[in-house]
Amino acid sequence: MSDIAERKRNRFWASTSDKHSLVEDAQAVIAGSMLVSLGVVLLSGGGLLIGGVVGVAFLLHYATGLSFGLLFFLANLPFYYIALRRLGLAFTVKTFCAVALTSVLSEYLPHLIVLQNVNPVIAALFGGLTVAAGMLALFRHRASLGGFGILALYLQDRFGIRAGLAQLAFDCTVLICAFFVATPFIILCSILGALVMNLVIAVNHRNDRYIAM
């Protein structure tokens, strides 16, 4: 086996303490997207909204009746320029794949997992936690769900602001807009879900604790 072939094989399979292999990155993008999509199903089953670009897509979906998956994919397009310029090609490609897969799964998963009579508080707790677990998987492999997540990671890398706290501020802004399409109780439960999601990320994602690329 030539040296070039050996290096390619090692890059595909081998990992070190500070660098993931391509296989590890691929499984993280797939697993993270699956977890986020399941969290979206739980949140929507309770009639809840969520922050970030996912929340923006929900709001546009409720207002226009257009496909959530399509709106989520399109809403992320402007942020790829920031990702490419500030966070690199690898981050941008992995994020694009995660957004595309989440868009497809979020569109079709509700037809495969039908939830009825989901308590909004339970939806907020378990949905927020599931979305956070998916986002942590993506963050730890230098990927995100695009949109505000890109800005949150950039702010953490550039200014040391915790990604979870930055994301929480963005999410609260989106949820304020939700008062135009939901009842106060649903808004409160949606805020609870956003708090759970972002506090889990803030506690568990730190660049000085987890440094693999």
Side-chain angles (χ1 to χ4, degrees), residues 32 36 130-140 143 145 149 167 197 201:
V36 170
T130 305
V131 171
M135 293 183 70
L136 281 172
L138 295 173
F139 283 176
R140 290 186 171 183
L145 284 179
Q167 184 83 35
M197 179 181 71
I201 293 172

Side-chain angles (χ1 to χ4, degrees), residues 11 28 45 48 150 164 180 188:
R11 183 185 177 193
L48 305 185
I150 292 175
F180 294 101
L188 288 175

